[in-house]
Amino acid sequence: MSRHRQPQVLEIEPPSELHFKGPFSEVVTSHLKLTNPSSQRVCFKVKTTAPRRYCVRPNSGFVEPSGHVNVSVMLQPMDSDSQDKGKHKFMVQSMFAPEKVDDVEKLWQDADQADLMDSKLRCVFEEENENQKNQSSSEAPPSIVPASVQQSLQAPDLQAELKSIMEECKRLQSENAKLKQLYDEAKSKPSPASSENNKIQKNQQFTLFIILAFIMGVLLGYILL
């Protein structure tokens, strides 16, 4: 007389369908939550009719009493018109685990079929509709650069102009550094040289003003283009 299998002890979420939402040109992940409401340790194994299409982590293991395990089911990239999509199914197989397990694979091989519990889930593929496609293709990340500056950045002689600007800035910075050095040297000398200090300080301030005015003028010119 054949023995009927036990009802599934694990609570599985979702209980009957795994949903995968396109586009399917990249990896799409769905999730399973296995909960063990019993007071015994349960071992589980996740199987599929299309093993080459999916990566399951973890695909087997144990669920402790009153504990749960999250399983990630990753659909590998595939053609949206693949003929076998509607045939993919999963099965969560489980059984109560003995107190000591030395070899998990042997445990499954030697298991009495009457001790096995299983739940089947079908795969549901949700295609990306045309509105979503058009919306995703039309939505571009907002630009923080004004349109006039974007146009100027496309000018063929922009690199040469920017190089000239950078060289001029470096020259002015170098001149300012020399004036600062002279100022510091003059500052350490006796008080009779105070008039020279004032002169150097004024030259330094004037140079700094030229640098700032030059940079502001360049930036304003690009924005008004």
Side-chain angles (χ1 to χ4, degrees), residues 83-96:
Q83 299 298 320
D84 66 336
K85 281 196 310 182
K87 302 176 182 179
H88 297 179
K89 295 179 181 179
F90 275 83
M91 181 172 70
V92 179
Q93 200 169 46
S94 64
M95 64 178 169
F96 289 107

Side-chain angles (χ1 to χ4, degrees), residues 137-200:
S137 61
S138 62
E139 287 180 353
S143 174
I144 60 174
V145 182
S148 58
V149 177
Q150 288 182 349
Q151 293 176 357
S152 66
L153 291 176
Q154 299 175 358
D157 59 343
L158 175 62
Q159 292 184 349
E161 187 172 353
L162 288 177
K163 184 178 180 181
S164 175
I165 293 172
M166 294 302 296
E167 290 177 352
E168 181 65 18
C169 288
K170 288 180 180 179
R171 186 187 68 80
L172 293 173
Q173 289 174 353
S174 176
E175 183 177 346
N176 182 58
K178 292 179 181 179
L179 288 173
K180 186 177 183 303
Q181 182 179 1
L182 291 175
Y183 173 74
D184 292 338
E185 291 176 355
K187 188 177 180 182
S188 62
K189 293 181 180 180
S191 56
S194 59
S195 59
E196 184 67 21
N197 292 347
N198 293 334
K199 181 179 180 181
I200 293 174

Side-chain angles (χ1 to χ4, degrees), residues 2 7 14 24 27 35 45 76 80-81 89 100 108 124 137 140-141 146 157 161 175 178 185 207 209 218:
S2 61
F24 302 108
V27 175
T35 302
K45 181 183 290 187
Q76 302 306 299
S80 58
D81 58 350
K89 295 179 181 179
K100 184 178 181 181
W108 285 103
V124 178
S137 61
D157 59 343
E161 187 172 353
E175 183 177 346
K178 292 179 181 179
E185 291 176 355
T207 304
F209 175 78
V218 170

Side-chain angles (χ1 to χ4, degrees), residues 53-65:
R53 295 286 195 183
Y54 299 89
C55 180
V56 182
R57 292 291 182 273
N59 60 0
S60 63
F62 297 90
V63 187
E64 299 299 328

